[in-house]
Amino acid sequence: MADDPLKQAAGTAGDFERRAGEPQAGLLAEFVMFLRYNKKWWLVPILLVLALLGALVFLSSTTALPWIYTVF
């Protein structure tokens, strides 16, 4: 009986326990796996623009403020 549900469930539980013991992936690795698996590559440019705007806001609160205004 190769299609025995109990054997399949036991194999799945062992795989679950094995994966639970592995080290967790980081946030960036998890996000890249999400993009690759779900084919959501259109999110990359949006997130890059948001990151650049966030960096601009952060730099505007530092002493780099005069240099930012000369660039724009």
Side-chain angles (χ1 to χ4, degrees), residues 56 60 64-72:
L56 184 65
S60 69
L65 183 67
W67 299 103
I68 293 172
Y69 287 126
T70 58
V71 172
F72 295 104

Side-chain angles (χ1 to χ4, degrees), residues 10-38:
T12 306
D15 185 45
F16 178 77
E17 290 173 359
R18 180 183 55 82
R19 288 184 183 240
E22 294 177 355
Q24 293 182 352
L27 181 65
L28 187 61
E30 191 81 25
F31 186 68
V32 169
M33 285 188 288
F34 167 77
L35 291 175
R36 188 175 294 154
Y37 180 76
N38 291 316

Side-chain angles (χ1 to χ4, degrees), residues 52-69:
L52 288 174
L53 285 174
L56 184 65
V57 168
F58 173 74
L59 289 175
S60 69
S61 65
T62 63
T63 58
L65 183 67
W67 299 103
I68 293 172
Y69 287 126

Side-chain angles (χ1 to χ4, degrees), residues 4-15:
D4 188 11
L6 292 176
K7 286 184 181 179
Q8 288 178 351
T12 306
D15 185 45

